[in-house]
């Protein structure tokens, strides 16, 4: 749950009073929570309570009131992009009807439409038993289920009407457990499942002589995080690693190399067979033309080292890939980043590039966090905040999954 972005939609049912507790449970688990409150929901639970526990403004009407400090008219889209999962609890008969009809007249219904494909939607209907069993409610539930929503049937027990029967919303703890399971299952049905993924990671070393080399500060952490995250999503991962001291992620095939030339030969062996190639290695662009045999002596005041260009491994893959293969690269930049990253995306024929701002404190080599901006070949830009490299890897793979989903919709 840590680092996950969860939106909770609350509708006008008495069980709404339990949702602040659910928000607290999620926050304790490290999730980021935003609430979309319907007009009916606002009768049962206060906006102030929800804003306080979620530490976020509450989303209600689709149009922000005129004259508010920040007029953000596209919040319904940014919220849909932000969410890793949507929980609607309690879901009333009215909201079920609006969602199944595709209405889009408040933030919850708009978010439902703008949610990224493949993200779990859990709906917890809660209402009087007769209402729940009525043909129209059942028809709307069936429609939403065919759209891929998970409908969690209400429990039996005492209802607000004083009657006993089916209709009660499960307790917040049960909702949390269902959400955790759904996010896990989401992994199980990831478009990356069964895909052959190759990741290059770490620095390379270029020999000057028998005891010296040219290299860089790359720790390999980002590439290893990507290999770990892809493997967790069910991909068959090969990690081609330069010289780093990092444990091999579970279920990942690791091939250790030293120089760019070695990395290139191994990588080329996977060019035809892999589905996704991620170039996360900080490859040395040049190597000494003639490495000295043995150890060079310091006889001369000045020595000159002639360097020759190394092959560009990622560009090699990008240039030969077929229509079903995906190429992802990084652009480590200290200045004029975005433009340079865009140029690399085009010149290497990539599908996605992560502009990686380098400042050695918050992002780039050696540190445990990264600040990435993802640029797609369609021009789409996603700016990620400072994240741990594990969390950044998850976000980058989310973007890759989206590419696969788009290809399924528009082959
Ligand atoms: N890359 C590669 N082989 C190389 C150089 C780079 O596979 N010989 C890959 C990196 O793994 C990264 C992307 O290409 O995914 C961009 O690397 P970067 O160092 O940012 O840029 P370069 O292409 O090397 O260009 P420059 O150093 O001029 O910025």
């Amino acid at each position: 749950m840590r680092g996950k972005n969860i939106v909770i939609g609350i509708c006008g049912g008495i069980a709404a009073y339990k949702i602040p507790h659910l928000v607290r449970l999620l926050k304790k688990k490290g999730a980021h929570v935003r609430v979309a409150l319907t007009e009916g929901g606002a009768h049962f639970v206060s906006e102030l309570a929800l804003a306080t526990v979620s530490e976020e403004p509450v989303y209600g009407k689709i149009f922000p009131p005129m004259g508010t400090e920040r007029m953000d008219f596209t919040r319904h889209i940014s919220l849909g992009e932000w969410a890793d999962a949507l929980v609607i609890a309690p879901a009333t008969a009215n909201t079920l009807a609006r969602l199944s009809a595709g209405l889009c007249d408040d933030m919850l219904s708009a978010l439902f439409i703008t949610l990224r494909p493949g993200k779990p939607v859990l709906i917890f209907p809660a209402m009087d038993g007769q209402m729940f069993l009525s043909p129209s409610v059942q028809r709307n539930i069936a429609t939403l289920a065919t759209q891929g929503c998970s409908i969690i049937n209400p429990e039996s027990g005492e209802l607000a009407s004083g009657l006993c029967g089916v209709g009660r919303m499960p307790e917040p703890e049960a909702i949390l457990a269902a959400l955790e399971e759904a996010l896990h299952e989401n992994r199980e049905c990831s478009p990356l499942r069964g895909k052959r993924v190759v990741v290059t990671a770490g620095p390379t070393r270029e020999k000057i002589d028998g005891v010296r080399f040219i290299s860089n500060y790359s720790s390999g952490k980002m590439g290893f995080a990507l290999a770990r995250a892809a493997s967790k999503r069910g991909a068959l991962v090969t990690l081609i690693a330069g010289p780093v001291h990092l444990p091999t992620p579970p279920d990942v095939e690791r091939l250790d190399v030293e120089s760019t030339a070695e990395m290139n030969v191994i990588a080329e062996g996977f060019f035809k067979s892999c589905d996704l190639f991620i170039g996360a290695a900080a490859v040395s662009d040049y190597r000494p033309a003639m490495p000295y045999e043995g150890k060079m002596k310091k006889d001369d005041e000045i020595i000159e080292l002639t360097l020759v260009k190394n092959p560009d491994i990622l560009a090699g893959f990008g240039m030969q890939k077929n229509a079903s293969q995906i190429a992802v690269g990084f652009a480590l930049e200290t200045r004029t980043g975005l433009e340079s990253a865009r140029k690399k995306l085009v010149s290497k024929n990539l599908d996605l590039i992560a502009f990686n701002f380098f400042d050695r404190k918050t992002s780039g080599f050696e540190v445990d966090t990264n600040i990435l901006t993802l640029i797609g070949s369609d021009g789409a830009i996603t700016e990620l905040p400072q994240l741990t490299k594990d969390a950044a890897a998850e976000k980058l793979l989310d973007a890759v999954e989206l590419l696969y989903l788009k290809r399924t919709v528009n082959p």
Side-chain angles (χ1 to χ4, degrees), residues 35-335:
V35 172
L37 187 62
T38 67
E39 206 181 330
H43 289 294
F44 290 93
V45 61
S46 92
E47 199 179 315
L48 183 61
L50 292 163
T52 307
V53 284
S54 67
E55 300 170 281
E56 293 272 358
V58 170
Y59 294 76
K61 290 196 172 62
I62 201 156
F63 300 108
M66 295 304 285
T68 44
E69 247 172 62
R70 250 185 91 243
M71 303 288 285
D72 181 358
F73 292 104
T74 54
R75 296 179 311 160
H76 56 301
I77 295 165
S78 50
L79 192 60
E81 281 176 352
W82 180 84
D84 291 315
L86 169 64
V87 175
I88 306 179
T92 54
N94 186 40
T95 293
L96 293 171
R98 289 191 307 118
L99 299 185
S100 71
L103 290 189
C104 185
D105 55 359
D106 65 2
M107 281 298 282
L108 175 57
S109 52
L111 158 71
F112 182 71
I113 289 175
T114 57
L115 196 70
R116 289 295 175 105
K119 301 291 177 191
V121 178
L122 277 72
I123 300 181
F124 292 83
M127 61 197 78
D128 168 72
Q130 273 314 107
M131 283 173 80
F132 177 67
L133 296 171
S134 76
S136 48
V137 168
Q138 288 301 313
R139 185 192 59 224
N140 294 333
I141 284 178
T143 305
L144 292 167
T146 55
Q147 286 176 222
C149 302
S150 304
I151 314 290
I152 294 88
N153 280 337
E155 296 173 350
S156 289
E158 265 182 41
L159 302 173
S161 58
L163 299 171
C164 253
V166 72
R168 280 172 64 95
M169 187 185 82
E171 293 301 321
E173 287 75 8
I175 296 178
L176 173 67
L179 178 59
E180 283 180 320
E181 204 178 310
L183 284 167
H184 181 71
E185 274 173 12
N186 201 33
R187 288 277 151 81
E188 300 286 305
C189 62
S190 158
L192 287 173
R193 185 157 201 85
K195 295 270 186 318
R196 283 153 302 181
V197 176
V198 173
V199 182
T200 66
T204 56
R205 285 180 183 170
E206 310 299 335
K207 270 190 181 157
I208 298 172
D209 68 8
V211 294
R212 302 177 181 94
F213 54 81
I214 297 174
S215 191
N216 57 60
Y217 293 111
S218 168
S219 63
K221 285 176 184 167
M222 192 65 226
F224 275 60
L226 281 161
R228 188 179 310 111
S231 169
K232 273 193 337 199
R233 292 178 194 218
L236 311 167
V237 184
T238 301
L239 178 62
I240 310 176
V244 291
H245 301 284
L246 292 173
T248 310
D251 303 321
V252 167
E253 176 192 32
R254 173 177 179 169
L255 303 170
D256 287 316
V257 297
E258 196 160 307
S259 67
T260 303
E262 282 168 25
M263 187 176 270
N264 191 43
V265 168
I266 304 266
E268 277 181 344
F270 292 95
F271 278 7
K272 288 272 171 274
S273 60
C274 74
D275 299 299
L276 166 66
F277 189 95
I278 306 180
V283 181
S284 301
D285 292 329
Y286 292 89
R287 66 179 185 279
M290 278 185 293
Y292 191 82
E293 290 287 323
K295 186 177 174 235
M296 275 167 73
K297 300 303 284 177
K298 59 170 190 310
D299 298 334
D300 302 308
E301 280 308 308
I302 294 176
I303 55 164
E304 279 184 8
L305 200 56
T306 305
L307 302 177
V308 290
K309 212 169 194 174
N310 269 328
D312 190 313
I313 305 169
L314 182 61
F317 176 75
M319 291 309 163
Q320 64 79 63
K321 76 183 164 84
N322 64 35
S324 70
Q325 291 177 305
I326 289 183
V328 176
F330 279 78
L332 185 70
E333 310 287 347
T334 45
R335 288 170 282 130

